[in-house]
Amino acid sequence: MIIIIIMLSSFIIFLAGVHAPTIIINVPFNNKLQSINADTEDEAACKDARNNFEARWNRWNRIRTVASSVSSILLILLLLNV
């Protein structure tokens, strides 16, 4: 029973903490960022674009990193106990 709980926990953490933010947050950010042409924009516009993206982007990347790490640790613990 504990094996199933660990596997499901790992799956839910990975799905909710890595895949969902990637689809909901990071992909739209990537699309917006790609639409900005750094060659034709002035320096102020590029700096403003970076300021609008950087904090939120970094926050969600940290969340994804923690979620994937926790999920991996759960699976490693599962392997060591089996």
Side-chain angles (χ1 to χ4, degrees):
M1 183 65 174
I2 191 76
I3 293 171
I4 294 171
I5 292 171
I6 292 173
M7 284 190 323
L8 285 175
S9 298
S10 177
F11 171 73
I12 291 168
I13 290 168
F14 192 77
L15 189 64
V18 177
H19 283 288
T22 298
I23 293 167
I24 296 168
I25 306 293
N26 291 90
V27 170
F29 268 9
N30 286 343
N31 293 338
K32 285 182 184 178
L33 210 51
Q34 276 185 320
S35 69
I36 298 169
N37 187 347
D39 294 330
T40 60
E41 297 289 336
D42 63 355
E43 188 175 334
C46 289
K47 187 175 182 177
D48 187 47
R50 180 176 178 150
N51 288 337
N52 288 335
F53 285 99
E54 191 170 22
R56 190 171 179 201
W57 177 266
N58 287 334
R59 180 176 55 247
W60 281 102
N61 275 336
R62 283 191 291 275
I63 290 169
R64 290 171 39 187
T65 299
V66 169
S68 63
S69 297
V70 169
S71 178
S72 296
I73 289 168
L74 286 173
L75 292 175
I76 290 168
L77 290 174
L78 182 67
L79 287 173
L80 294 176
N81 287 324
V82 172

